[in-house]
Amino acid sequence: MNIKKVLMIPAALVLLLALAVGCTGNGQTTSPPDSTTNTPGSTTAAPITTAPASSTVLNLEASEPYTLDPALAAESGSILFVNQIFSGLVKTGNAGILPDIATSWDISTDGKTYTFHLRNDVAFQNGHRLTANDFKYSWERACTPSVGSTTAATYLADIAGAVEMLTGRATSLSGVKVVDDYTLQITLAKPASYLIYKLAFVTAFAVDKTNVASGANWWETPSGTGPFKLGSWVKTTSITLSQNRNYYGGAVKLGSAVFKFLAGRSMDLYETNQIDVAGIGGDDLDRASDPAGSFASQLKSVPELSLSYIGFNVEKAPFDDPLIRKAFSMAVDLNKMVSLTFNDAVDAANGVLPTGIPGYDANSKALGFDITQAKALIAQSKYGSVANLPAITITTSGYGGLIDGGLQAIINEWQVNLGVTINVRQLEPSVFLYNLKQEKDQMFYSGWIADYPNPQDFLDILFRTGADFNSGGYSNPAVDALLDQAAATTDSNAGLSLYQQAQRLILADAAVMPLFFGQEYILVKPYVTGFQINPMGMLVLDQVVVASH
């Protein structure tokens, strides 16, 4: 998932070092320890529970979403809201993958067939009861070419028949079978150890067929199964999410969450009591953390699995030459930037896989700062000299010429250390990810937050030949082969080792320039409790309590 703000989001979180939480072996059954819903095989609907109404309000800020359609949402601004309104078979928690609408699942001994046992007490917010058919419909819709999903090929293509649907050669998913109303069976084209992780992403969430059929802009009045409903959407101003009193996952304590769009600097909004939670950037961190100030007791450090990086367009001069990619990577003093630009609020990246994700390699080494070697590499390249390099433009997300401070520092390093002038071209944040692959220049300033805690989400999705989110066009058959082996193995340790080998090749090719593993800092008002951000940077709001103040 693309990072909505490169400056202050990323970070590290120590998770369980298992490639699949609760389903680490073939032929096993997974179920939550506290499940109170139907037992596997139940075909009878259970009553829908109704929680007490809450009138509490949480005020936040956000970017306006591009869409609320789970099949189309790809950037964090949209995914933030889709995660609150819709839900899927499984979800990501602090400990990895957890059951959600599925209470348990069985995996065949060959690793190709997953049988999910669904809750029987789930309803869409319009009152329609959810069954296994809704997942089959939702996934087939996402794989229908005319829908235009940019994520279905990434997150659903492992399912048998998905590739055929995505390419217009089939109209249904042969690998999805509705056994009964509350049993869903998935057959994969080939074993994929990370499949359960992908099903936690929004592309795999259930949508209501009747809701979708209401019109092309159905997602502006969505009916999901998540903890919140869309209360109102005032374009360019705000979105209000309202308590879903019929949410199956337990009583939602928060009455509503109001998200204000582009309302000003977070710190200023927080200080003037316009918002109750604020993300803090490096410029405000000293003030927010000052023990003598009024904010230190409200400051929280939130870990996150993410990477900020410079991507290289390897299909376009001058970064078609790996020596030039390496030279640019070695001409930036990341440690100095961490200290001076980011106020030590982020960590210089030593690779692609962030600290805390299974497969993280503490011994990994990205290309280090060495101006002399950088200049020597340029001299050895097919260009021979900086003077022979073509004009270089970097694509970034932003508005009105306001350039991110981190990017400004990097551009300055290239100017001072290599004598190279870099032009900047901005794309609107809401469409940056959707248009990047087609509109990128020679470089792009971007980032990735894990969709799920598995190294496949970084290495396979960003670097496999031809992958939808491989925006730089990188290709290495040896990397692809290692990724294939890692996906097929059922041995977690062997899989992690294969991913580490793939990362070493990617770094050796200088496919990207890793920048930072970050750390998000937030201020939370004393009267707000239960506010959480999960390892993937998504807000968990259903248990938030806002006391009188």
Side-chain angles (χ1 to χ4, degrees), residues 190-541:
K190 59 183 178 181
S193 58
Y194 47 76
L195 182 277
I196 199 68
Y197 287 91
K198 286 190 172 184
L199 295 181
F201 190 66
V202 297
T203 310
F205 284 6
V207 297
D208 178 42
K209 186 176 183 178
T210 304
N211 185 206
V212 174
S214 66
N217 294 327
W218 68 271
W219 49 268
E220 294 184 348
T221 54
S223 174
T225 54
F228 291 92
K229 301 183 289 185
L230 179 62
S232 66
W233 185 350
V234 181
K235 293 297 179 69
T236 73
T237 301
S238 67
I239 274 181
T240 298
L241 298 180
S242 302
Q243 173 193 27
N244 178 10
R245 296 178 61 194
N246 299 129
Y247 179 54
Y248 59 88
V252 177
K253 297 178 180 178
L254 182 65
S256 61
V258 179
F259 294 83
K260 302 174 183 179
F261 304 146
L262 300 174
R265 291 182 67 252
S266 297
M267 189 74 176
D268 295 340
L269 295 172
Y270 185 84
E271 189 171 14
T272 55
N273 298 316
Q274 296 182 62
I275 57 175
D276 302 313
V277 180
I280 299 302
D283 292 344
D284 293 314
L285 187 56
D286 278 343
R287 183 180 171 210
S289 60
D290 183 1
S294 57
F295 300 111
S297 63
Q298 302 167 33
L299 183 67
K300 301 180 184 300
S301 175
V302 182
E304 190 169 86
L305 299 173
S306 58
L307 168 74
S308 295
Y309 64 93
I310 298 290
F312 297 114
N313 184 348
V314 303
E315 300 170 324
K316 193 172 185 178
F319 299 108
D320 56 339
D321 189 331
L323 296 180
I324 297 296
R325 301 197 298 267
K326 292 177 181 179
F328 273 66
S329 298
M330 298 180 75
V332 177
D333 188 345
L334 291 181
N335 290 323
K336 182 177 73 174
M337 284 186 58
V338 164
S339 176
L340 298 181
T341 305
F342 292 97
N343 200 16
D344 292 315
V346 295
D347 296 321
N350 69 337
V352 173
L353 296 177
T355 314
I357 200 167
Y360 170 73
D361 185 357
N363 296 318
S364 174
K365 293 186 183 298
L367 293 170
F369 177 57
D370 189 330
I371 298 175
T372 301
Q373 180 62 17
K375 292 179 177 179
L377 289 170
I378 293 175
Q380 296 168 27
S381 75
K382 66 181 182 181
Y383 298 95
S385 167
V386 167
N388 296 327
L389 298 180
I392 299 174
T393 299
I394 188 166
T395 314
T396 187
S397 170
Y399 296 106
L402 297 175
I403 308 302
D404 178 270
L407 179 56
Q408 287 181 328
I410 293 169
I411 290 173
N412 183 66
E413 290 270 292
W414 285 328
Q415 174 68 57
V416 172
N417 297 331
L418 295 180
V420 178
T421 299
I422 305 295
N423 302 308
V424 178
R425 187 168 70 94
Q426 292 180 311
L427 299 179
E428 286 192 18
S430 63
V431 299
F432 177 76
L433 178 62
Y434 301 95
N435 296 345
L436 178 61
K437 196 168 187 178
Q438 291 72 36
E439 291 206 25
K440 66 181 179 294
D441 295 287
Q442 288 98 330
M443 292 188 288
F444 51 96
Y445 183 50
S446 190
W448 190 261
I449 303 176
D451 301 304
Y452 39 83
N454 189 299
Q456 182 271 344
D457 188 56
F458 286 84
L459 302 179
D460 199 308
I461 289 179
L462 296 179
F463 299 102
R464 177 181 287 279
T465 300
D468 282 351
F469 292 103
N470 180 354
S471 299
Y474 171 74
S475 179
N476 184 331
V479 169
D480 295 342
L482 289 168
L483 295 175
D484 287 339
Q485 294 174 51
T489 184
T490 58
D491 183 327
S492 296
N493 290 329
L496 294 179
S497 177
L498 290 164
Y499 281 124
Q500 289 176 344
Q501 293 176 53
Q503 177 179 233
R504 286 194 286 272
L505 291 181
I506 291 166
L507 293 174
D509 289 340
V512 296
M513 175 183 169
L515 298 175
F516 313 112
F517 304 143
Q519 186 81 9
E520 182 153 17
Y521 295 88
I522 59 172
L523 288 171
V524 182
K525 293 291 188 182
Y527 50 78
V528 175
T529 57
F531 180 87
Q532 298 180 50
I533 300 179
N534 77 11
M536 274 48 70
M538 289 294 107
L539 305 187
V540 182
L541 300 175

Side-chain angles (χ1 to χ4, degrees), residues 138-155:
S138 301
W139 298 350
E140 289 181 341
R141 173 181 175 271
C143 290
T144 300
S146 61
V147 170
S149 175
T150 61
T151 57
T154 298
Y155 298 98

